[in-house]
Amino acid sequence: MDLPVYGQSDSSYKAAGEYEGIRQLVDDFYIAMDTLPEAQNIRAMHPQDLTETRDKLTRFLCGWMGGPRLYREKYGPIDIPVAHRHLPIHEAERDAWLLCMKDALIRQPYDIEFKNYLLKQLAIPAERCRQAAQKPE
Ligand code: HEM
């Protein structure tokens, strides 16, 4: 039996449960950010009301996983490191973001291989955000 090759075409988008599944992942991600003590610092960088933030991350991840480019449709083009350049993201903040994602992934009905794959792939843009945030203007 062939295993799905995540990252090819829209296989990740499908494995994540398409829009509804990714929406659930993002809701759990921000619940983790609201509750984990390690995430207090990054939660404080976000607005009190996370309605639009949740919509933005959900839509972005749909396209990032090979599905429809819903972020671009509503908000226009985005460069993730550039969008985070103004934020004080150091190793602790990057790791806190990834910890929230790990906590959210644990709660999803995905295969363990897919959870591990996603976390590893998300570490790449998270590290790029940290690097972009270190750069002087
Ligand atoms: C490295 C740690 C990260 C921190 C501390 C962080 C923090 C933030 C903050 C504070 C905002 C602004 C929220 C708002 O004003 O609504 C934001 C926006 C956003 N973040 Fe992150 N983020 C991180 C990594 C990432 C990664 C890795 C991704 C994508 C895989 C991502 C995707 C987004 C998107 C799509 C937005 C909306 C941008 C916009 O429309 O302006 N973030 N992030």
Side-chain angles (χ1 to χ4, degrees), residues 29-30 33 41-47 49-50 52-61 64 71 75 78 80 83-84 86-90 93-98 101 121-130:
F29 171 78
Y30 284 112
M33 197 183 283
N41 196 12
I42 60 169
R43 176 63 184 90
M45 294 177 195
H46 290 76
D49 180 354
L50 291 171
E52 188 172 277
T53 312
R54 278 203 292 263
D55 184 54
K56 285 180 166 180
L57 186 57
T58 302
R59 286 168 171 270
F60 177 79
L61 289 178
W64 185 79
Y71 182 96
Y75 299 108
I78 185 170
I80 287 293
H84 291 76
H86 63 293
L87 296 167
I89 300 176
H90 304 95
E93 288 74 23
R94 175 201 65 197
D95 291 348
W97 193 95
L98 289 168
M101 199 44 92
Q121 293 302 310
L122 284 165
I124 298 167
E127 168 59 12
R128 296 217 174 108
C129 290
R130 185 195 68 81

